[in-house]
Amino acid sequence: MEANIMNSLLHATLAAVLVMAATSATAADSGNPDRGATLAAQGDGSGAPCTACHGADGAGNNAGGFPRLAGMDADYLFKQMADMNAGQRTSPVMQPNIDNFDEQQLRDLAAYYADMPVPETSTDTSVDASVMAMGSKLVNEGDWDNYVPPCSTCHGPGNQGVGHVFPALAGQHPNYIRSQLQAWQNNQRNNDPNQLMTAIAERLSQEQIDAVAAYLGSQNATKQ
Ligand code: HEC
Ligand code: HEC
């Protein structure tokens, strides 16, 4: 019963967010991947080039906590960088690399990474089967006792992402997924529409965060 009420509330909120997103999508230049490639190799003048952390293939790196960018939605990637420069998403490691770029340059960079092929997922075989099972259950069925809906309700079938509002999580690095859930818990990331992710992250235990991160990181990603 409670799950049903939660579900209809959730769908009403989602519909509102999608309408908001559709009306706020402007006709701005969607970005030029070739210009983006040049900027990614050069950097913004005072920061490091993108390739230093995100890799030449945009695959990122689990140990460094650098997210995969390759094949993600361009408008989503652009929004994240704009949010960092606006101070709604705090990252002392990332933000100094983009603070000299204007809107068009950020769109070019986003278009460049969105165009790249999705790198292969590497599963961490050292993760306990029971941890993976907990992650799978939470991602696919949710934790209704704690009002946590399945992640795939918003992030889409197989968590491959939906449009530019809901990013792909499949194949994203576990350390990065973990750091973002903690960033929402710690008020370091405040850029989610209608606080959809804040509400969820706040209800997850550390054990659950580790489990969803490991499980999502092991899922195969396809191009969004
Ligand atoms: C010194 C390492 C470093 C460099 C150089 C760097 N990044 Fe990042 N980037 C990060 C880290 C770390 C994060 C995760 C930030 C966080 O924890 O919120 C990130 C996050 C991002 C995100 C958000 C991805 C998502 O899924 O939300 C985008 C987009 C991005 N970087 C693009 C770029 C671009 C474009 C450049 C080059 C102009 C660049 N980065 C240079 C380390 C770096
Ligand atoms: C009610 C909808 C909704 C549900 C359910 C949901 N998310 Fe999200 N999630 C979002 C939105 C919206 C964003 C993008 C926020 C933004 O614009 O910065 C997001 C972003 C994320 C990100 C950041 C990805 C990146 O590349 O930066 C992670 C990690 C994440 N969600 C994990 C989860 C996990 C794990 C679950 C399930 C336990 C979950 N989400 C369930 C709406 C949702």
Side-chain angles (χ1 to χ4, degrees), residues 10 13-14 17 67-68 72 76-77 79-80 83 89 138-139 148-155 159 164-169 172 176-178 180-181 184 189 191-193 196-197 200 204 212-213 216:
L10 185 62
T13 317
L14 287 185
V17 170
R68 151 173 94 86
M72 293 198 42
Y76 180 77
L77 294 177
K79 175 186 179 279
Q80 296 312 308
D83 289 347
R89 181 175 169 183
L138 196 54
V139 167
V148 176
C151 313
S152 50
T153 313
C154 292
H155 291 278
N159 299 289
H164 63 273
V165 177
F166 304 108
L169 301 176
Q172 187 54 278
Y176 173 71
I177 294 176
R178 192 181 293 118
Q180 295 313 296
L181 293 169
W184 270 301
R189 187 167 172 175
N191 64 340
D192 46 330
L196 291 175
M197 267 316 295
I200 289 164
L204 296 178
V212 287
L216 288 166

Side-chain angles (χ1 to χ4, degrees), residues 38-55 97 101 109 113:
T38 309
L39 297 173
Q42 286 173 346
D44 77 341
S46 63
C50 320
T51 44
C53 297
H54 296 283
N97 306 300
F101 285 136
L109 285 159
Y113 283 109

Side-chain angles (χ1 to χ4, degrees), residues 100-117:
N100 297 326
F101 285 136
D102 63 21
E103 172 171 345
Q104 186 59 57
Q105 290 171 313
L106 294 180
R107 285 196 186 277
D108 293 342
L109 285 159
Y112 170 60
Y113 283 109
D115 252 20
M116 283 185 176

Side-chain angles (χ1 to χ4, degrees), residues 62 173-185 206 209-214:
N62 186 47
H173 297 293
N175 283 341
Y176 173 71
I177 294 176
R178 192 181 293 118
S179 76
Q180 295 313 296
L181 293 169
Q182 287 165 346
W184 270 301
Q185 288 184 336
Q206 189 52 54
I209 289 180
D210 290 342
V212 287

